[in-house]
Amino acid sequence: MKKTIFFLIALLMITLSSCNDYFDKTGDEQHITDKKFFGDEAAFASALTDCYTLMRSRDLYGGMLTLEMMEFANQNMAPHDAFSSAAAQLNFADAALAARIDSMTHAAYRVVAACNKLIDEAERTKVVFTSAGKKKIITAEAYALRAAVQFDLLRLFHPAPATDAGFRGLPYVTHTSANAPEALTTTQILQAVNDDLAHAAQLLKTADPILKERNSIVGVGEFDRRLRTFQMNYYAVKAVQARVALWQGNYEEAVAQADSVLAHLQNTVARYRLFYWVTPGHYGSDFSFSREYVFGIASTPTGFARLSDDMFKTKGIQTTTSLRDIYADNADIRYRAWFRQQGSSYAMSNKFGSATLLTDYVYSTSATATSLPAAIPYIKLGEVMLIKAEALNEMGQTAAARSLLEEMQGYKDISYASRATSVTKESLRELIYAEARRDLFGEGQLFYLNKRLGLTSVKAADGSIRTVTLNQYTFPLPADLFNAIQ
């Protein structure tokens, strides 16, 4: 690790994103000052790094919104203590769960505040950047992160749009104010999210090096394209736009945005693709298949990987008893790579633990490779494909949707969709849902899927059938919401 840190420090001189800070930044990942002096280009890059550092904290995507609270709420993991039991039962009256949700909310708005500060400074600065593209990228990523984090808060604290689009609860925060921000409706927040994402995409479309095919040698002062999937790149913004469109039930828009992401696979020579399907026998020690991440949040070895090891190796937390129903085919490369049997039960020992590494990322003009800790998943190729398949199916294009599912499953060595007979819109819905369970296992996304579909009956981790009311899908707003925003 010392060798890796040394190389990452050197990378500061040749990348926009201050990668040494990004991967190995020390501190509590919770308190980023808003008094940063934006005196030069490096200060803006450092401020953007701060935003990502906040996102990887355990209160957010480094724990609560992935492996911890959300995966117990998803019923993917068997509860092992009072907190995980409360999360599994969506018992918001539990003091421990309420306290962690409060901390999560505060952490989310710290990210938003950091993004807002960066946007404000970038849009009025007199600092001259070495290229207009760098300023566009920094500003665009801040807009996109601000939107993405507040969209996730919306998915937690507001009913799904199909249930109550007029629900008024959260604000959409774009600046710091001494006054309490206005509570907006779901429709209003979604419009603000879409506006920010559209602006980010517009800026990145002409500046993001992920769109420019070239060799992997990195010259001094150039961007390291191969690290762009660790940041909110152009394709990541389009993927989040697809996610938002599906949440709204805007199927045509969901397909269009998903196609923008999938264009990277269609239009880029294989050796230059920055995200791509991991196929059987070609994933090495990258057990999480992080090469499929359109955007993943980099974590230090003492962060997400250690949390995974602590949960599944030290504490021995078990997966749902229905794991073999989810992964019924032994050939599924995800089942083989992610899980280890312990007696009659299973633990997700490998997917995010210390054994999984992201390899072959170029760090200098010598084109030598280094290994980095696996990323925290935010949005991945599989979800984008499933978004498009679901949207097409709902638009009546079931055959085309089935073809997408067959393609995706082919990369995983399974063939549920191709073997199915008399496929209808309803039966394909079930196949898509089942594939989402397999591909997004451990990533905190199933709760949102169940909520969007309005599922009131789910199988608990112990195999029993649990009734979930629509009200339980909507987290209660924190009592100190205004303080969290400040």
Side-chain angles (χ1 to χ4, degrees), residues 43 80 94 183 193 202 219 226-227 231 284 315 338 340 451:
H80 63 100
D94 180 82
V193 167
Q202 182 182 26
R226 304 196 69 184
L227 293 174
Q231 295 185 260
K315 294 179 180 177
W338 295 347
R340 289 293 176 268
K451 178 174 181 173

Side-chain angles (χ1 to χ4, degrees), residues 185-481:
T185 66
T186 297
T187 299
Q188 289 173 317
I189 293 175
L190 286 170
Q191 184 60 57
V193 167
N194 281 321
D195 288 346
D196 273 356
L197 291 172
H199 184 56
Q202 182 182 26
L203 290 172
L204 289 169
K205 190 171 184 178
T206 59
D208 196 337
I210 202 171
L211 296 169
K212 300 173 184 177
E213 181 179 309
R214 61 175 176 79
N215 61 49
S216 60
I217 303 300
V218 181
V220 175
E222 295 180 349
F223 297 101
D224 187 343
R225 294 176 61 253
R226 304 196 69 184
L227 293 174
R228 287 298 291 155
T229 51
F230 282 115
Q231 295 185 260
M232 187 63 85
N233 61 77
Y234 174 79
Y235 292 114
V237 173
K238 305 306 283 185
V240 175
Q241 286 180 300
R243 179 187 274 178
V244 174
L246 190 63
W247 188 256
Q248 294 178 281
N250 188 344
Y251 300 126
E252 289 186 2
E253 180 69 7
V255 170
Q257 298 297 352
D259 278 340
S260 295
V261 180
L262 299 175
H264 179 66
L265 304 183
Q266 299 159 1
N267 301 333
T268 307
V269 176
R271 69 178 180 276
Y272 296 134
R273 290 175 187 160
L274 301 193
F275 53 86
Y276 48 86
W277 295 109
V278 172
T279 53
H282 292 88
Y283 52 84
S285 61
D286 182 16
F287 298 115
S288 67
F289 307 155
S290 53
R291 290 172 178 84
E292 295 182 1
Y293 296 179
V294 185
F295 165 48
I297 305 165
S299 176
T300 62
T302 57
F304 198 56
R306 179 172 292 180
L307 173 63
S308 176
D309 284 347
D310 180 59
M311 289 178 65
F312 305 119
K313 293 181 180 179
T314 303
K315 294 179 180 177
I317 295 173
Q318 303 297 303
T319 66
T320 170
T321 57
S322 303
L323 186 75
R324 291 316 318 272
D325 296 329
I326 298 170
Y327 299 93
D329 193 329
N330 289 338
D332 193 318
I333 65 171
R334 296 162 297 193
Y335 167 72
R336 301 202 315 262
W338 295 347
F339 305 99
R340 289 293 176 268
Q341 188 167 2
Q342 298 176 345
S344 60
S345 303
Y346 292 84
M348 195 179 70
S349 302
N350 285 344
K351 185 173 184 181
F352 300 125
S354 56
T356 185
L357 294 175
L358 183 62
T359 59
D360 300 331
Y361 273 79
V362 173
Y363 64 78
S364 73
T365 53
S366 66
T368 309
T370 185
S371 296
L372 300 171
I376 302 165
Y378 186 82
I379 196 160
K380 61 194 290 189
L381 194 53
E383 183 181 351
V384 174
M385 187 74 101
L386 291 167
I387 287 171
K388 182 178 179 181
E390 181 180 341
L392 286 175
N393 189 44
E394 296 306 316
M395 292 165 63
Q397 300 179 45
T398 298
R402 178 181 181 176
S403 178
L404 286 174
L405 199 58
E406 290 175 352
E407 178 186 350
M408 178 178 174
Q409 291 181 343
Y411 293 116
K412 304 306 171 191
D413 244 9
I414 54 176
S415 55
Y416 300 105
S418 61
R419 288 188 283 109
T421 58
S422 303
V423 174
T424 63
K425 178 186 283 190
E426 182 57 40
S427 64
L428 192 63
R429 283 175 182 155
E430 295 175 0
L431 287 170
I432 291 170
Y433 179 85
E435 188 57 31
R437 289 213 67 180
R438 285 186 286 268
D439 204 57
L440 302 175
F441 197 101
E443 299 178 19
Q445 293 298 319
L446 185 63
F447 174 87
Y448 305 122
L449 177 57
N450 291 345
K451 178 174 181 173
R452 181 168 58 78
L453 297 177
L455 299 185
T456 56
S457 181
V458 299
K459 183 176 286 189
D462 63 3
S464 63
I465 301 300
R466 175 168 295 162
T467 298
V468 181
T469 67
L470 293 181
N471 287 338
Q472 284 181 294
Y473 279 122
T474 303
F475 284 32
L477 293 169
D480 68 340
L481 179 60

Side-chain angles (χ1 to χ4, degrees), residues 61-238:
Y61 302 98
M64 280 286 282
L65 295 181
T66 48
L67 282 181
E68 294 190 283
M69 176 181 69
M70 295 309 294
E71 277 306 284
F72 292 104
N74 289 346
Q75 307 302 323
N76 280 336
M77 305 298 172
H80 63 100
D81 58 15
F83 166 76
S84 56
S85 295
Q89 297 165 12
L90 299 174
N91 176 16
F92 303 118
D94 180 82
L97 178 59
R100 292 292 302 276
I101 291 174
D102 184 70
S103 296
M104 178 270 296
T105 309
H106 280 258
Y109 281 114
R110 281 194 289 271
V111 177
V112 173
C115 291
N116 288 340
K117 177 66 173 175
L118 177 53
I119 291 168
D120 181 58
E121 293 288 344
E123 293 185 339
R124 64 184 179 86
T125 186
K126 295 182 180 179
V127 169
V128 177
F129 286 69
T130 54
S131 74
K134 290 185 180 181
K135 183 179 178 181
K136 284 184 177 181
I137 290 172
I138 290 172
T139 308
E141 288 184 35
Y143 269 101
L145 293 177
R146 177 173 83 180
V149 170
Q150 292 189 88
F151 174 64
D152 284 340
L153 290 173
L154 176 80
R155 292 197 291 175
L156 292 171
F157 291 108
H158 279 225
T163 302
D164 184 2
F167 179 87
R168 191 179 295 271
L170 295 172
Y172 192 81
V173 183
T174 59
H175 62 277
T176 302
S177 173
N179 300 318
E182 178 187 4
L184 301 179
T185 66
T186 297
T187 299
Q188 289 173 317
I189 293 175
L190 286 170
Q191 184 60 57
V193 167
N194 281 321
D195 288 346
D196 273 356
L197 291 172
H199 184 56
Q202 182 182 26
L203 290 172
L204 289 169
K205 190 171 184 178
T206 59
D208 196 337
I210 202 171
L211 296 169
K212 300 173 184 177
E213 181 179 309
R214 61 175 176 79
N215 61 49
S216 60
I217 303 300
V218 181
V220 175
E222 295 180 349
F223 297 101
D224 187 343
R225 294 176 61 253
R226 304 196 69 184
L227 293 174
R228 287 298 291 155
T229 51
F230 282 115
Q231 295 185 260
M232 187 63 85
N233 61 77
Y234 174 79
Y235 292 114
V237 173
K238 305 306 283 185

Side-chain angles (χ1 to χ4, degrees), residues 15-26:
T15 63
L16 164 71
S17 56
S18 300
C19 291
N20 60 305
D21 288 336
Y22 188 39
F23 294 114
D24 294 290
K25 190 174 183 71
T26 58

